[in-house]
């Protein structure tokens, strides 16, 4: 499994550096190598993540059919393995795919479902990530009041993190 993680690491690193066509071809190639290894090992939980990764990469280059195919493969593994918490990332990526296809109402529906899973599993940071995607979605549809509402939600979350960090730093200083 280490080999597949290595290929995924290469894909993620390249993707974070550039998204030009030649780089994206390499990114997809590395992720496909990781998938091949994970499929041979029948590592269902790893495949969920890898399928979601490659789906995002295909969406980036507007290969929407391939993106949808891999995303739905991840969903089948989520359902098969009972890894219900992975639904939050599935619906987030599904929303992102719809957003890139300019299908904004479908994107919002998927993002809303992702939020419900994030809340169910107490993943406040992932919920915040989804809210940021929803803000973009609302801006595209001209729903600026809704975008502002979610912007305020993300700001409140960010402020709570800063407060926690500052409290931890103050406690650390006080303990020295």
């Amino acid at each position: 499994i280490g080999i597949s993680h290595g290929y995924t690491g290469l894909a993620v690193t390249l993707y974070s550096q550039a998204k030009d066509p030649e780089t994206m071809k390499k990114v997809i190639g590395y992720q496909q190598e990781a998938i091949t290894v994970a499929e041979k090992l029948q590592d269902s939980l790893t495949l969920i993540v890898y399928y979601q990764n490659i789906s995002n990469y295909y969406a980036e280059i507007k290969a929407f059919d391939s993106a949808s195919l891999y995303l739905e493969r991840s969903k089948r593994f989520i359902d098969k393995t009972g890894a219900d918490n992975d639904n939050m990332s599935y619906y987030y990526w599904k929303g992102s795919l719809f957003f890139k296809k300019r299908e904004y109402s479908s994107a919002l529906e998927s993002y809303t479902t992702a939020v419900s899973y994030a809340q169910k599993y107490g993943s406040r940071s992932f919920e915040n990530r989804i809210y940021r995607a929803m803000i973009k979605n609302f801006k595209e549809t001209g729903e600026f009041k809704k975008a502002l509402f979610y912007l305020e939600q993300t700001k409140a979350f960010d402020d709570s993190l800063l407060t926690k960090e500052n409290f931890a730093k103050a406690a650390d200083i006080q303990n020295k």
Side-chain angles (χ1 to χ4, degrees):
I1 197 74
I3 293 170
S4 68
H5 290 323
Y7 281 124
T8 291
L10 287 169
V12 169
T13 301
L14 276 177
Y15 181 73
S16 68
Q17 293 173 355
K19 294 174 181 65
D20 61 90
E22 194 58 38
T23 301
M24 289 307 298
K25 186 176 178 180
K26 290 177 185 175
V27 166
I28 290 168
Y30 285 134
Q31 191 63 61
Q32 190 59 58
E33 289 293 331
I35 288 169
T36 300
V37 172
E39 285 175 341
K40 286 179 183 174
L41 296 172
Q42 298 179 345
D43 187 347
S44 300
L45 296 176
T46 297
L47 283 168
I48 291 168
V49 175
Y50 290 0
Y51 287 153
Q52 290 177 359
N53 287 354
I54 202 165
S55 171
N56 180 50
Y57 302 149
Y58 276 121
E60 185 70 35
I61 62 168
K62 300 188 182 338
F64 298 128
D65 289 341
S66 295
S68 294
L69 174 89
Y70 280 103
L71 193 57
E72 292 312 310
R73 282 186 186 175
S74 82
K75 180 64 171 149
R76 284 195 303 273
F77 276 95
I78 290 168
D79 293 343
K80 178 180 158 187
T81 61
D84 191 52
N85 61 314
D86 284 323
N87 276 311
M88 81 178 112
S89 60
Y90 166 77
Y91 283 104
Y92 170 79
W93 290 118
K94 188 172 184 177
S96 296
L97 176 58
F98 282 129
F99 181 82
K100 288 175 182 171
K101 292 168 66 175
R102 300 183 190 278
E103 296 177 19
Y104 301 118
S105 62
S106 295
L108 181 59
E109 187 177 314
S110 292
Y111 289 144
T112 302
T113 303
V115 166
S116 69
Y117 278 104
Q119 290 172 340
K120 177 179 178 180
Y121 290 101
S123 182
R124 187 70 175 96
S125 61
F126 202 85
E127 183 179 352
N128 200 46
R129 178 180 182 184
I130 300 162
Y131 286 162
R132 291 184 192 286
M134 291 171 76
I135 291 166
K136 289 182 194 176
N137 199 74
F138 285 127
K139 285 180 179 178
E140 286 296 321
T141 60
E143 298 176 80
F144 298 110
K145 285 185 180 181
K146 290 180 180 178
L148 180 60
F149 172 79
Y150 286 101
L151 179 62
E152 290 169 351
Q153 299 296 311
T154 61
K155 184 175 177 350
F157 176 75
D158 293 344
D159 289 348
S160 73
L161 284 181
L162 288 175
T163 301
K164 286 179 186 176
E165 287 175 11
N166 290 341
F167 182 76
K169 286 178 185 176
D172 188 45
I173 291 169
Q174 193 174 28
N175 289 334
K176 288 184 177 182

